[in-house]
Structures are given as structure tokens and as C-alpha cells.
Amino acid sequence: MSNSDSADRWLSEIDLATVTRMLHDHGVVEAIYKVLPRNANSKNQVYLASDLSQLGKIPSREVTAHESTSQKNGGEVAVFRAALDFYWLGRNGNLVNAPDAKLIFYPQYPEVRFSGFLKGCRQAPSSLWVKDKRGEEPDRVLLLGVGAGAKVIGITLPPESPAAKEIRAGQGHEAYGAMNILPVAEQATGGGFLELMRKLCDIHQRGWVPSTRLDPNGVLIPCDARNCNGNTLESLLGIRSNGYSLPDFHGWEVKARQVPNVERPGVSRVTLFTPEPTDGIYVKEGVIAFVHRYGYVDRLGRGDRLNFGGIYRVNEPSHNLTGLRLVLDGFNPETGRYVSHGAIQLLDKKEVVAAAWPFAKLIDHWKVKHAQAAYVPSQVSNSGDRQYRFGSGIILGEGAEFSRFLHAVCSGKVFYDPGSKLEAVSSDRPRPKKRSQFRVSSKDLESLYASCRTVDACEEAGR
């Protein structure tokens, strides 16, 4: 028996209770697993999902764009990579870093694969992955623990282990990409969806509530800005800023949408996300120079102020006030294919890139926030202190592949709706305020998701 085989023997004897206890000791709150086929080994990357947006529970570092050569036609194809802060669980409960572990997204197939998890890690469970050892055995189980901040903690279970047998014997585990979610004792009874519906029903039944937010320490404080509906909803759900870009509530991104009346919400504009440009004049010269160059005098007569606003859709003429038009570069709407260096761009009349959002950066924002999204109607009362109330009619979107987003941008359903400004323009210290947002009408949300439906939170909670 080789040293690797001997070092991995403990994995054949471990039971599931011990695995979950060891993971919990490191802060893991949720476990995701894949029963491995024969071709999942050190020579082949492990297939996890068809799109990065399906893996929002798995924290990753920045998505980066690359190009690869197609084995079929020799052409260049897009590849996106996201490094992981990945650790193998050791025999004594210690963590062993696998520094090269990463997710690789091949949009042309499409598929996301797990790679590099053995490279540079001397204590990895290599005997269970190497082809000429046990790397081609079926019914091995790869278990990933998440919820411990940015860390992902893994363990490979051989088919004969009590833990693997118990996992395989489980019935009806919720699918997650090409994996499944393993229920653990700490998770809410009924799963994340039912728990979310219960919370949203309770919030609806409270009626009018003060405008609040949670600070990073979890302290409830007043929220005085005009757009505090989202902050208030998050505070009622117990959501606070944690420094990690992860879904809000048990895998669901929760968004408030402002409506005149929550009992009859109708159609409203919804802010999808607010990524700042990462290229163009906006970045190279700075936001102050950008607004000076493309902004316009405040239309309400507020002195010494320049605004940068308007609605920008692909294939529409340049905006009459800013001279900029929105372009989607590197996407083919007929095939749904996109290139690694593609971007959404604002171009001026000289074809200069005023601002740009490369696909890699947009995927980075999109992948964790829209796999499962709940849009909650909110209504504001401005009589006296600011208050909100929230409706029970929730729009649920599931399955938000990035190509759907690009299709929606290409068709004009998703549009750019900035609200930046520059005050004290003539002073030595002009004050910029940035607001860069992509929005969509609530009636067009269905274009972004494989499944989009409206439910009553209280009815769902009572099922």
C-alpha cells in the first residue's frame, strides 16, 4: 500500500455524523455534494453546473477572462476562471490548502468544472482521484462545505464509507446545479424557500415599519435615504453586510421593488445590480472628469451641479444630453455565444469608450446574485418619519444563466439607468456621487430566468 493509500484509509471508515461535525467546527453551515462518475478523476475536471450563476453558494475570487483553442475546429473560444479559497478536510479535522483549486466556465458547451484541487496539495486525497488507483470507481462522493466565509472545505468519500452510503441512501435531496444539497441539522426545517416565505409573510403582516438598516455589526439603525426600501427589507430578514458576495437568504437573493400600492403592485422598474464601470474614460480619467465631459447642467435649476443620467438601451441612438450610446460588444444573439473579451460599453460620438463593463466583471456580479431571486413589492409612506410596508405577492426567478442577461440587454429589456452627479462643480473640491445601475421592467423579469412565477408568501408558508 502506498503512502497516499494509507493516508486516505481513514476516509473509508468515517460516518456522516463525524463529517458534518468536523465541517461545522470550521464554520460550515451548508453542504453540497456530487456522486462521482467514473470519469471524474485527476485527468478530467469535475462537472458541477452548466452556468456559474448556478453556483452562487460557492464563494470564489474574481472571475477572469481567458481564451482557449477549440478541440473541434481549432478556433478561439471563451473561458472564464474563478479561483477558490479551497481546503481539504484532514484526518484530525485540520484544513489543508489546495492553492490551485478553481472553477472553470466554458460558455460554449456550456459547463462549469472544478479543477486544480490536487495540484500543490501534498495531503490531498489523491488515491481517490488518480486513475490507476481508485480514480475511476463509481459512487465516490465529493462533499463541499460552504458558509465559512470565503472558504470552501472539501472531503472525498470512497464508495464503501458509511458516510457515502448514507448520502447515497438519502431521498429527494434538492438539486443544485449538477450536485445536491445535503440537509444538516443546523439548516432551517423545510429548506431555504419555505423559511424565506415564512419570513416574508411575517414581514407583510407587520404592516408599516420604520425605515431601518443593519450596520456591519448587526446593530439596527435608522435609514434616512430615499431608497431605503431594500435596506429595510434586509434588516427585517436579519441580513447585514458581511464582506462576502453571497446570496442574501438561504441561497435566495431578496430584492425590494418600489410600487405605489403593495396590494396592487402592477409593473415597476427593478434594479438588477449596480456594478461600477471597470474600463473607459470613467476609469482612466476618473468619475469627476467623466461627468465634466459627458454630464449636463441640472435640469431642475440646482446651481453648480452637473448630472449624468438618462436611459440607455442597446441599438438606440445617442442620448441627446450626454451624446453616449449603449453597445453590446462580443455577443451573438443568434447563437447565444460570447467572447471572453466582450463588454457592455458606452461610446461617445467619436467612438471613444466612455465606460465599459467587461463580461468577466459582469459574470462576477451576476453569478452569486441571480440564480434564485425573490422580488418583493414595497411601498413608502412619507407622512412623518419614513416608513415602508411590504406585499405578499412575490416574483420568483430561478435559473439566471448569464447568456439570458446578455439576450435581455441585446433586446433592450435590460437597460442602463445611471444617476450620477457632481456638486460644487466650480470649487476646488467638487463632490461626485456615483450611481451606476442596470434595470429592467418587472414585466420583463421572465426574460432573465428559466422559471419566473408570482406566489403569495403567506399561502406558500402555510403549505
Side-chain angles (χ1 to χ4, degrees):
M1 181 179 295
S2 69
N3 291 336
S4 175
D5 296 345
S6 176
D8 296 340
R9 175 183 283 181
W10 68 280
L11 293 168
S12 297
E13 303 168 355
I14 197 167
D15 58 39
L16 190 55
T18 302
V19 172
T20 55
R21 175 183 55 78
M22 294 169 76
L23 291 173
H24 184 262
D25 288 345
H26 288 289
V28 166
V29 298
E30 193 165 25
I32 310 166
Y33 74 90
K34 179 179 176 68
V35 178
L36 299 172
R38 290 183 181 274
N39 65 352
N41 50 57
S42 58
K43 298 295 183 182
N44 297 296
Q45 301 160 346
V46 183
Y47 174 68
L48 298 185
S50 62
D51 193 89
L52 275 173
S53 67
Q54 298 173 5
L55 301 178
K57 291 177 184 288
I58 301 177
S60 63
R61 299 186 185 130
E62 180 181 351
V63 174
T64 56
H66 305 265
E67 287 189 350
S68 181
T69 302
S70 171
Q71 295 180 353
K72 292 184 178 180
N73 57 28
E76 294 295 319
V77 293
V79 176
F80 297 90
R81 299 175 185 169
L84 300 179
D85 189 16
F86 182 78
Y87 299 81
W88 288 111
L89 190 63
R91 179 170 192 164
N92 299 316
N94 59 306
L95 298 182
V96 184
N97 183 230
D100 202 51
K102 64 180 76 69
L103 299 176
I104 304 181
F105 176 37
Y106 303 92
Q108 71 271 20
Y109 294 124
E111 59 187 30
V112 182
R113 293 190 173 265
F114 182 35
S115 177
F117 46 84
L118 300 180
K119 185 178 179 180
C121 182
R122 293 184 178 181
Q123 298 180 50
S126 302
S127 68
L128 295 169
W129 291 95
V130 176
K131 287 183 69 174
D132 58 5
K133 293 183 179 178
R134 305 192 65 182
E136 291 188 320
E137 291 185 13
D139 292 336
R140 293 163 294 146
V141 176
L142 172 65
L143 187 65
L144 303 178
V146 296
K151 291 181 180 177
V152 181
I153 302 173
I155 185 171
T156 310
L157 302 168
E160 73 278 4
S161 67
K165 291 179 180 178
E166 188 173 345
I167 289 172
R168 295 198 307 269
Q171 297 296 318
H173 291 164
E174 181 183 351
Y176 190 72
M179 299 179 289
N180 294 89
I181 297 174
L182 181 68
V184 294
E186 290 76 16
Q187 290 178 349
T189 303
F193 173 72
L194 181 54
E195 182 66 14
L196 176 62
M197 292 299 104
R198 289 170 178 162
K199 288 280 190 180
L200 292 179
C201 177
D202 175 68
I203 291 169
H204 165 66
Q205 292 175 341
R206 293 189 196 186
W208 293 103
V209 295
S211 177
T212 55
R213 65 182 178 90
L214 287 178
D215 71 11
N217 296 317
V219 178
L220 191 69
I221 59 176
C223 188
D224 298 325
R226 293 181 58 187
N227 57 344
C228 282
N229 55 342
N231 296 102
T232 301
L233 179 60
E234 289 180 350
S235 71
L236 295 173
L237 289 167
I239 298 167
R240 59 179 173 172
S241 175
N242 58 16
Y244 304 109
S245 184
L246 295 172
D248 285 338
F249 190 92
H250 292 281
W252 286 87
E253 175 74 2
V254 184
K255 290 184 170 292
R257 65 181 187 103
Q258 191 70 51
V259 297
N261 188 329
V262 296
E263 303 299 335
R264 299 181 298 277
V267 176
S268 65
R269 287 180 176 178
V270 177
T271 301
L272 292 173
F273 59 160
T274 57
E276 280 289 291
T278 57
D279 201 0
I281 298 296
Y282 190 98
V283 175
K284 295 173 182 176
E285 298 184 12
V287 65
I288 293 177
F290 174 88
V291 177
H292 267 295
R293 189 165 177 171
Y294 300 112
Y296 49 88
V297 175
D298 182 77
R299 310 266 295 170
L300 297 179
R302 288 168 289 195
D304 212 19
R305 167 171 161 164
L306 293 175
N307 292 339
F308 180 78
I311 301 296
Y312 301 80
R313 301 180 194 268
V314 168
N315 297 322
E316 289 193 353
S318 300
H319 193 278
N320 65 313
L321 294 177
T322 67
L324 299 181
R325 61 189 178 91
L326 194 67
V327 172
L328 181 56
D329 180 49
F331 174 69
N332 185 328
E334 295 181 0
T335 64
R337 298 279 291 272
Y338 49 95
V339 299
S340 58
H341 57 270
I344 298 176
Q345 301 173 331
L346 281 175
L347 301 183
D348 67 16
K349 294 180 179 179
K350 295 181 178 180
E351 300 297 296
V352 172
V353 178
W357 297 261
F359 289 169
K361 300 294 184 181
L362 291 172
I363 291 174
D364 216 13
H365 287 273
W366 191 258
K367 70 184 177 68
V368 296
K369 292 296 189 181
H370 289 277
Q372 298 182 124
Y375 297 88
V376 183
S378 67
Q379 179 181 347
V380 64
S381 171
N382 290 316
S383 57
D385 294 334
R386 186 179 297 274
Q387 292 184 307
Y388 292 97
R389 66 171 180 161
F390 299 90
S392 62
I394 315 300
I395 299 175
L396 300 176
E398 299 176 82
E401 289 84 0
F402 185 65
S403 61
R404 292 180 180 273
F405 170 74
L406 294 181
H407 271 293
V409 173
C410 187
S411 66
K413 292 178 179 178
V414 169
F415 51 92
Y416 181 55
D417 182 12
S420 300
K421 65 181 179 180
L422 188 63
E423 296 177 313
V425 174
S426 62
S427 71
D428 294 334
R429 294 185 178 181
R431 300 188 303 273
K433 181 179 180 180
K434 300 183 257 186
R435 190 177 74 176
S436 180
Q437 54 189 9
F438 286 90
R439 307 185 79 191
V440 64
S441 169
S442 58
K443 67 180 176 61
D444 290 327
L445 282 170
E446 63 183 12
S447 66
L448 296 171
Y449 299 97
S451 170
C452 192
R453 58 197 172 103
T454 301
V455 302
D456 186 283
C458 295
E459 290 181 4
E460 295 295 325
R463 292 183 188 278

